[in-house]
Amino acid sequence: FFNIIGTARTKSLSMELVGAKILTSKQVRVPQIAVLRGNGKTWSGIYAESTFIPSAAISTIARSANVVTVTTATAHGLEVGATAVVSGVTTTSFNGGWTVTTVADATHFTYAQTAANANDTTGTVFIPIVVLGDIDPFSHAVRLENLRVDCGELANSVGIYSNNLEEMSGAEHVTVSNCGKYGVWVELSGGGRPYNYRLEDMEIYPLPNVGATGVFIRGQFVAHRGLEHITVGPVSALAADALAVGFDL
C-alpha cells in the first residue's frame, strides 16, 4: 500500500508519485502544507484494490462522556488515526469526519467528540481513499497536481475528502475515476475551520447508473470558493439522479 502521514507545519512538503501506487487497505493521508504531485508524463496515481472497504452501514452510534462508539453492520476496515466520515445519522451532531482513536474489532471503533450524550441507529460510515490535511485543525495549504485517483469501481466510494483544511490552494489536472458516491467531498465538520478552496481543471468519472456526485460541498466556508473547468461524465453513463456538483449549505 501507499500511505502518506505527516504533521509538518513549518515547511512545504512535496511528494512525487513516480509509478502506480497500490492502495490496499489504508487511506492516503496528505499532511498540511503539502503538494501531492503525480508525474505529468505518466499519470501516476493512487488505485484502490478490491480489498479496500469504502463504507459500512451503522448499526448503533452512541456518545458518552465525549467519546463516540460506532458499531457497524459489516467490517469497517479502519485503523487508529484514519478518518471516518459519518453521514446520514438522524441525530445530526454525529455527522462529519472524525479521526479514529480506538479500534476494538472489525465492527467497532471510537472517536472523540465534545457534545451531549446521545445515541442513534441510522447512518453510514464512509472511508475516503485520499484524505487532505485531516491530522490537525487549522492546517495550511494543500495542493494537488497531475494526480489520478481510481476508486476501483467500489460501491459508495469517495475519492478525495477534506473536512478541516484551512486552505486548498488549488487542484489542477486531477482525475478521479470509478467513484461510487462522491469524486471530491469538501465540508466543514470535525472541529476544523475550512477557509477557502479552489478546484480547477478536474475530471471526475463516476460509476455508471449509481447516482453518484462529482463534487460535493457541505457547510459554510469563511471566505472565497472556486470551481472552474470541472468535467463530470460522460452524460450517457450518469444516472438520472446523478449530480455534477452538489451543495448542502
Side-chain angles (χ1 to χ4, degrees):
F1 59 86
F2 175 61
N3 196 24
I4 296 174
I5 297 179
T7 58
R9 295 178 60 84
T10 59
K11 65 178 181 179
S12 178
L13 300 180
S14 180
M15 290 151 287
E16 298 282 347
L17 304 182
V18 295
K21 304 299 182 180
I22 304 301
L23 178 67
T24 55
S25 62
K26 300 179 185 295
Q27 292 170 331
V28 175
R29 302 176 64 219
V30 181
Q32 294 83 14
I33 322 179
V35 178
L36 180 58
R37 291 192 181 100
N39 184 309
K41 295 181 180 179
T42 61
W43 270 108
S44 300
I46 298 166
Y47 300 84
E49 290 190 332
S50 60
T51 53
F52 188 85
I53 299 174
S55 69
I58 293 173
S59 294
T60 63
I61 185 168
R63 185 170 52 237
S64 177
N66 300 324
V67 175
V68 177
T69 301
V70 182
T71 302
T72 55
T74 57
H76 51 65
L78 290 162
E79 61 178 4
V80 172
T83 295
V85 185
V86 176
S87 185
V89 180
T90 302
T91 306
T92 57
S93 61
F94 285 112
N95 294 328
W98 311 97
T99 300
V100 175
T101 53
T102 68
V103 176
D105 55 40
T107 58
H108 295 82
F109 68 91
T110 67
Y111 61 84
Q113 184 191 19
T114 301
N117 292 353
N119 59 79
D120 207 310
T121 58
T122 59
T124 302
V125 177
F126 292 96
I127 301 92
I129 293 168
V130 178
V131 178
L132 304 179
D134 73 316
I135 298 167
D136 184 23
F138 310 105
S139 62
H140 289 281
V142 167
R143 185 173 181 84
L144 307 177
E145 298 177 358
N146 300 327
L147 179 66
R148 184 181 186 116
V149 178
D150 189 330
C151 298
E153 300 185 356
L154 299 173
N156 278 335
S157 51
V158 177
I160 299 173
Y161 174 83
S162 180
N163 74 315
N164 62 6
L165 192 67
E166 184 173 317
E167 178 179 1
M168 180 185 289
S169 62
E172 294 186 81
H173 307 127
V174 175
T175 298
V176 181
S177 61
N178 297 316
C179 51
K181 186 64 177 181
Y182 302 118
V184 177
W185 182 351
V186 180
E187 69 173 333
L188 172 57
S189 74
R193 186 190 67 126
Y195 190 72
N196 63 65
Y197 58 85
R198 187 172 76 252
L199 306 177
E200 56 197 5
D201 297 327
M202 300 187 72
E203 298 180 14
I204 300 172
Y205 301 103
L207 286 176
N209 303 314
V210 298
T213 296
V215 178
F216 180 51
I217 309 295
R218 181 165 70 178
Q220 296 288 336
F221 287 76
V222 177
H224 69 275
R225 286 78 66 188
L227 296 171
E228 185 176 1
H229 301 140
I230 308 295
T231 299
V232 180
V235 174
S236 60
L238 298 179
D241 57 348
L243 295 175
V245 179
F247 293 91
D248 182 1
L249 306 177

